[in-house]
Amino acid sequence: MLYLTGSTLFLFSIYPMANSSKKIKEIGEDLLIKRITKNLTLGKDVMAGAGDDCAVIKSNDPQSYMLLKIDSVIEGIHYVKSTPPSAVGYKALSRAISDIAAMGGTPKHAMIGLSLRPNCNVSYVTSLYNGLSKASSPYNISIVGGETTNCSKNGTQSVTISLTGEVRKDLCCFRSKGRSGQSLFVTGKLGKSINGRHLSFTPRIEEAQWLTRNFKIRAMMDLSDGLASDLPRLAKSSNCGYSIDTNKIPRARGASIDEALCDGEDYELLFAISSKDCNKLKASWRKKFPNLTLTRIGKLSPKGTEDPDLEGGWQHF
Amino acid sequence: MLYLTGSTLFLFSIYPMANSSKKIKEIGEDLLIKRITKNLTLGKDVMAGAGDDCAVIKSNDPQSYMLLKIDSVIEGIHYVKSTPPSAVGYKALSRAISDIAAMGGTPKHAMIGLSLRPNCNVSYVTSLYNGLSKASSPYNISIVGGETTNCSKNGTQSVTISLTGEVRKDLCCFRSKGRSGQSLFVTGKLGKSINGRHLSFTPRIEEAQWLTRNFKIRAMMDLSDGLASDLPRLAKSSNCGYSIDTNKIPRARGASIDEALCDGEDYELLFAISSKDCNKLKASWRKKFPNLTLTRIGKLSPKGTEDPDLEGGWQHF
């Protein structure tokens, strides 16, 4: 992910002054984004472009925004050659759905771009579509188009998803809407997703919609690159710091604190909520989602007070 | 292109009974589409899914449809390694814009998926975005998001475009709306696009919108794979045959009839119009677009009367 930071694929070490003869793996993501976007003009209907889980667009409906997302899974990075194609399809679409969830939205229409080797079996493609169908069905997402391209005989296969969504304007969550003093929560348990969860997770659509409809939650994101990468992003977007107790981070079975912070691909929700609503939220959540943990991990704080100063997260290069 | 046939990348010879152990390059595109789409459920808001230039979706605005398109350009197929990156970006987005034009629509928001080798220069990416910007500017398209993925050191680079658009319901063009007896027209001149036009063409947005607003035109497509591929598609979608005079096909300088039929990447418009409107159309067009030819090449006829029975077009495998 280049400049929608929801699921960053290029996470480079950052040089303050990159020049054009640098390789993309050598310069920082932030600088690359800056260069790419500086000459682009956005229409007045664009409420959020680069930098959130989805792009947010004013629609013809005065009550709602349109959400737009593009996201890819790559062989060798997000799955391996031996991963069943149905799992690849399921994961590819579910990742994009998770980003729609992070805005408080409802997914609507998907288009699928496949990059395949020419000797790929027909059965691989049909199984992959079975996986896409499994991911789309619970949300009545219509798969309305697709494209398959030849990545060459020895090339790397990939699945690119373009997904639209919609969200009620007053319920749309942005990373930038957190405020110092708000409590930070995460759903579920983090770390060790490589053991299988990264292929079979359930996007938190239902939970996100329940949260935004029942509580005043305006800052949210999904955890794709690991809390150690993603929390600082949310805090920075909101012009805040943060203070968390790493011992409180909910860990998947067998995961260390470090793995819970850095493994990535959790696809859980991270959100901020007024601290006075914490107790009510916890009680209501237990009743509504008895099988999914909800954990207060800390709070947003004034800018410059990042405690601990997190590093790490999912590095692709 | 797998099942939006606007810019087909997999054009295989067609076997009537392909089985799953076949490679994708061995079975027909139509059969592959059939297999992939048979288990997919489309919402009632989907007016057109697979099989037209764009997907057409009912929006919250009762007057207009939303258009959705995904399209890729691939190194070695749509451009070569030495193609200037600004031309690659321009071409990639312009192809998708051309598909919006073919529906009579207005392009709105784009997302960009780049697949790049990790040793790619930053300057390559910024130049590519300059090309995207050059393509988007005339139409005030907002580039609202993007993703860059690593195609591996020796992989094939590509640019995938996801583009939205909108179109007035009563002006939306479908491939299926042609009627036997209607005259067939093409804009511009065909063939030899490889000489440079495929990198520098102007999508026919202005012409398409003028056509649909001033004449009753409901069947239209853009010519991406060559008239020999694309005309039979339009005719088949409309449940028609066709009768054309191949000598009348407008040819680019130096192009043979065969090249005009089969080279592809013309990005001109092919449309059907009531034959009684032909003279008025020709006169108005000359006045409005004096520098772009408009040619009547024949007509739609009853199904089964394809004359000549065209074969060929852009074959990627």
Side-chain angles (χ1 to χ4, degrees):
Chain A
M1 171 69 70
L2 184 62
Y3 62 88
L4 286 179
T5 51
S7 50
T8 304
L9 279 167
F10 283 172
L11 277 174
F12 319 113
S13 57
I14 294 175
Y15 294 86
M17 288 294 292
N19 66 53
S20 295
S21 64
K22 294 263 186 201
K23 308 297 184 188
I24 50 176
K25 66 178 179 179
E26 293 175 308
I27 78 157
E29 188 190 16
D30 291 352
L31 269 181
L32 189 55
I33 293 169
K34 204 171 168 184
R35 291 204 179 190
I36 286 174
T37 55
K38 73 178 176 185
N39 294 320
L40 297 177
T41 312
L42 295 179
K44 287 179 181 169
D45 58 346
V46 181
M47 304 303 295
D52 218 314
D53 291 278
C54 298
V56 183
I57 316 287
K58 279 187 190 168
S59 73
N60 291 321
D61 176 2
Q63 307 299 320
S64 70
Y65 292 133
M66 178 169 68
L67 304 172
L68 294 176
K69 180 71 189 175
I70 192 167
D71 186 62
S72 296
V73 294
I74 317 292
E75 186 184 79
I77 296 178
H78 301 97
Y79 64 95
V80 294
K81 270 193 186 182
S82 60
T83 304
S86 60
V88 174
Y90 178 83
K91 174 174 181 170
L93 184 50
S94 294
R95 277 165 56 94
I97 296 170
S98 180
D99 282 303
I100 300 284
M103 311 299 290
T106 303
K108 302 295 281 183
H109 302 97
M111 292 184 290
I112 316 300
L114 302 181
S115 184
L116 300 171
R117 290 181 284 271
N119 63 347
C120 179
N121 276 335
V122 172
S123 60
Y124 188 96
V125 185
T126 52
S127 293
L128 199 147
Y129 263 78
N130 287 340
L132 290 166
S133 187
K134 189 182 162 202
S136 64
S137 296
Y139 311 105
N140 298 315
I141 296 167
S142 297
I143 298 178
V144 295
E147 172 170 73
T148 297
T149 57
N150 177 357
C151 68
S152 80
K153 195 179 158 193
N154 298 309
T156 303
Q157 298 198 151
S158 65
V159 184
T160 299
I161 304 289
S162 162
L163 183 61
T164 70
E166 67 178 18
V167 61
R168 255 177 55 187
K169 277 185 183 177
D170 56 328
L171 302 184
C172 187
C173 296
F174 298 88
R175 293 184 185 179
S176 59
K177 298 283 187 187
R179 296 293 171 259
S180 177
Q182 289 182 328
S183 291
L184 290 166
F185 282 84
V186 293
T187 62
K189 296 176 177 177
L190 311 184
K192 293 273 191 198
S193 68
I194 193 70
N195 289 353
R197 202 170 71 251
H198 75 111
L199 294 170
S200 61
F201 66 93
T202 301
R204 299 302 184 200
I205 288 284
E206 187 189 352
E207 294 82 357
Q209 292 186 353
W210 178 85
L211 282 167
T212 58
R213 283 170 191 178
N214 291 282
F215 292 89
K216 196 172 173 182
I217 290 163
R218 300 296 171 264
M220 186 155 64
M221 68 185 295
D222 77 326
L223 293 172
S224 50
D225 293 337
L227 195 66
S229 284
D230 291 330
L231 171 56
R233 283 182 186 136
L234 186 140
K236 194 176 175 190
S237 285
S238 293
N239 205 28
C240 287
Y242 53 82
S243 161
I244 63 166
D245 182 349
T246 52
N247 289 307
K248 283 195 180 162
I249 294 171
R251 287 180 269 162
R253 186 186 298 243
S256 66
I257 291 175
D258 200 52
E259 287 166 336
L261 280 168
C262 300
D263 279 1
E265 301 226 82
D266 299 306
Y267 306 112
E268 296 290 352
L269 297 171
L270 167 68
F271 62 89
I273 184 171
S274 170
S275 292
K276 69 177 171 48
D277 292 337
C278 285
N279 289 337
K280 189 185 165 202
L281 169 63
K282 284 184 204 166
S284 304
W285 180 276
R286 266 195 302 271
K287 205 169 161 186
K288 176 72 181 171
F289 302 108
N291 299 317
L292 186 66
T293 60
L294 178 70
T295 311
R296 183 183 180 281
I297 59 167
K299 61 177 185 177
L300 289 172
S301 58
K303 193 179 174 183
T305 58
E306 290 74 13
D307 176 30
D309 201 354
L310 295 171
E311 282 183 9
W314 201 21
Q315 304 277 340
H316 292 265
F317 286 83
Chain B
M1 170 70 68
L2 183 62
Y3 62 89
L4 286 179
T5 50
S7 49
T8 304
L9 279 167
F10 285 174
L11 277 174
F12 319 112
S13 57
I14 294 174
Y15 295 85
M17 288 294 291
N19 66 54
S20 295
S21 65
K22 293 262 186 203
K23 309 297 185 191
I24 50 176
K25 66 178 179 178
E26 292 174 308
I27 78 157
E29 187 190 18
D30 291 352
L31 268 181
L32 189 56
I33 293 169
K34 204 171 168 184
R35 292 204 178 190
I36 287 174
T37 55
K38 73 178 176 186
N39 294 322
L40 298 177
T41 311
L42 295 178
K44 286 180 182 168
D45 59 346
V46 181
M47 303 304 295
D52 217 313
D53 291 279
C54 298
V56 183
I57 316 288
K58 278 186 190 169
S59 73
N60 290 322
D61 176 1
Q63 307 298 321
S64 69
Y65 291 134
M66 180 168 67
L67 304 173
L68 294 176
K69 180 69 191 177
I70 193 167
D71 185 63
S72 297
V73 293
I74 316 293
E75 185 184 80
I77 296 179
H78 300 97
Y79 64 95
V80 293
K81 271 193 187 180
S82 60
T83 304
S86 61
V88 174
Y90 178 84
K91 175 174 181 171
L93 184 50
S94 295
R95 277 165 57 95
I97 297 170
S98 181
D99 283 303
I100 300 284
M103 311 300 289
T106 303
K108 302 294 283 183
H109 303 97
M111 292 184 292
I112 316 298
L114 301 181
S115 183
L116 300 172
R117 289 180 287 271
N119 63 348
C120 179
N121 277 335
V122 172
S123 61
Y124 188 95
V125 186
T126 51
S127 293
L128 198 147
Y129 263 77
N130 286 340
L132 290 166
S133 188
K134 189 181 161 201
S136 64
S137 296
Y139 311 105
N140 298 315
I141 296 166
S142 296
I143 298 178
V144 295
E147 173 171 72
T148 297
T149 57
N150 177 357
C151 68
S152 81
K153 194 179 158 195
N154 297 310
T156 303
Q157 298 198 149
S158 65
V159 184
T160 298
I161 304 290
S162 162
L163 183 61
T164 71
E166 68 178 18
V167 60
R168 256 176 55 186
K169 278 185 184 176
D170 56 329
L171 302 185
C172 187
C173 296
F174 298 88
R175 292 184 186 178
S176 58
K177 297 284 187 187
R179 296 292 170 261
S180 177
Q182 288 182 328
S183 290
L184 290 166
F185 281 85
V186 294
T187 63
K189 295 177 179 177
L190 310 184
K192 293 273 190 199
S193 67
I194 193 70
N195 288 353
R197 202 170 72 248
H198 75 111
L199 294 171
S200 62
F201 65 94
T202 301
R204 299 301 184 201
I205 288 284
E206 187 189 352
E207 294 82 357
Q209 292 187 353
W210 179 85
L211 281 167
T212 59
R213 284 172 190 176
N214 291 282
F215 292 89
K216 196 172 174 183
I217 289 163
R218 298 297 170 264
M220 185 154 65
M221 68 185 294
D222 78 324
L223 293 172
S224 49
D225 294 337
L227 195 67
S229 284
D230 292 329
L231 171 56
R233 284 183 185 135
L234 186 140
K236 195 176 175 190
S237 284
S238 294
N239 205 29
C240 288
Y242 54 82
S243 160
I244 63 165
D245 182 349
T246 51
N247 289 307
K248 282 195 180 163
I249 294 172
R251 288 180 269 161
R253 187 186 298 242
S256 66
I257 290 175
D258 200 53
E259 288 166 334
L261 280 168
C262 300
D263 280 359
E265 300 226 83
D266 299 307
Y267 306 111
E268 296 291 351
L269 298 170
L270 167 68
F271 62 90
I273 183 171
S274 171
S275 291
K276 69 177 170 49
D277 292 337
C278 284
N279 288 337
K280 189 183 165 203
L281 169 63
K282 284 185 204 167
S284 303
W285 180 276
R286 265 195 303 271
K287 205 169 161 186
K288 177 71 181 171
F289 301 108
N291 298 317
L292 185 66
T293 59
L294 178 71
T295 311
R296 184 184 181 281
I297 59 166
K299 61 178 185 176
L300 290 172
S301 58
K303 194 179 173 183
T305 58
E306 290 74 13
D307 176 30
D309 200 355
L310 295 171
E311 283 182 8
W314 201 20
Q315 304 277 340
H316 292 267
F317 287 84

